[in-house]
Amino acid sequence: MTDEQLLPLRSSAQYKALGHPLRHRIVNLLRQRPATLGELTTALGSTKGTVGYHVRILREAGLVRLASTRHVRGGTEQRFELISRGFRLDEETGARFLHDAALAEMSPVGPGDPGHTVLYHLWLTPEEARALAERLETFDHGHHEDAEPGAEAYGVLLSLYRADIPRLPPEDHMS
């Protein structure tokens, strides 16, 4: 996904809308395909009123729009979709926001689950760091429609940042 395909988040209302765990889950569902309130309610195991309220907040923030309507059993069914498949976060707020979002969506790792969280530190030159960042950007972000039947979603949080780790001087090898 290129930067041109991402909606830049510019307002505090957009960050606030995405910051709520249920709204974050709604966005993840709508990344799969447009959906009705009923479909979202069923997938989330929530109530229609609660989901409708959170969809309205996402719409007011300019992140979700009405995709279509159709008449059913004397009423109107609305289908909602994301404005963009992804969002571009500003440098100042983005890392903290993504970190908090990942923590909020993490399920506890159960016995036999393949969950794995680790922090690595790589010692890279600035050129190597840029090359790695470019390589990570080309990584296929995996689309739901390509998933095997029975596949479950797993999150991968990648963050390439210059760590605040001082470097020791070479060890003095005095004999």
Side-chain angles (χ1 to χ4, degrees):
M1 197 174 312
T2 66
D3 272 359
E4 294 78 39
Q5 295 171 306
L6 302 175
L7 175 71
L9 297 185
R10 301 190 194 281
S11 74
S12 60
Q14 289 175 320
Y15 279 100
K16 184 177 179 183
L18 286 174
H20 189 281
L22 186 58
R23 291 192 288 264
H24 183 80
R25 293 179 74 207
I26 291 169
V27 166
N28 283 333
L29 287 170
L30 292 176
R31 279 194 173 122
Q32 297 170 33
R33 64 172 176 79
T36 65
L37 281 181
E39 291 170 327
L40 293 170
T41 297
T42 300
L44 294 166
S46 189
T47 65
K48 203 168 191 176
T50 299
V51 172
Y53 167 79
H54 289 289
V55 167
R56 182 171 51 88
I57 298 296
L58 290 166
R59 286 184 72 189
E60 289 171 357
L63 303 173
V64 169
R65 67 179 163 220
L66 184 62
S68 64
T69 59
R70 70 180 184 134
H71 294 288
V72 290
R73 294 182 302 275
T76 303
E77 179 181 74
Q78 298 178 322
R79 184 170 300 278
F80 299 95
E81 67 183 358
L82 290 177
I83 297 291
S84 174
R85 257 182 95 66
F87 306 106
R88 187 172 62 239
L89 308 172
D90 67 58
E91 294 295 321
E92 187 176 324
T93 312
R96 168 64 66 190
F97 178 82
L98 289 173
H99 176 265
D100 292 347
L103 284 176
E105 81 176 28
M106 280 184 188
S107 298
V109 177
D113 283 350
H116 178 75
T117 302
V118 65
L119 173 63
Y120 291 113
H121 289 103
L122 307 174
W123 292 88
L124 305 170
T125 65
E127 294 78 26
E128 290 170 325
R130 270 191 290 284
L132 179 56
E134 289 171 8
R135 176 108 192 240
L136 292 173
E137 280 298 315
T138 63
F139 181 71
D140 180 13
H141 299 289
H143 294 91
H144 178 265
E145 26 328 315
D146 300 333
E148 294 288 327
E152 294 184 38
Y154 285 85
V156 177
L157 177 63
L158 294 172
S159 181
L160 181 63
Y161 58 93
R162 200 168 67 72
D164 185 16
I165 301 174
R167 190 170 191 145
L168 291 171
E171 190 172 359
D172 188 8
H173 293 286
M174 293 176 42
S175 301

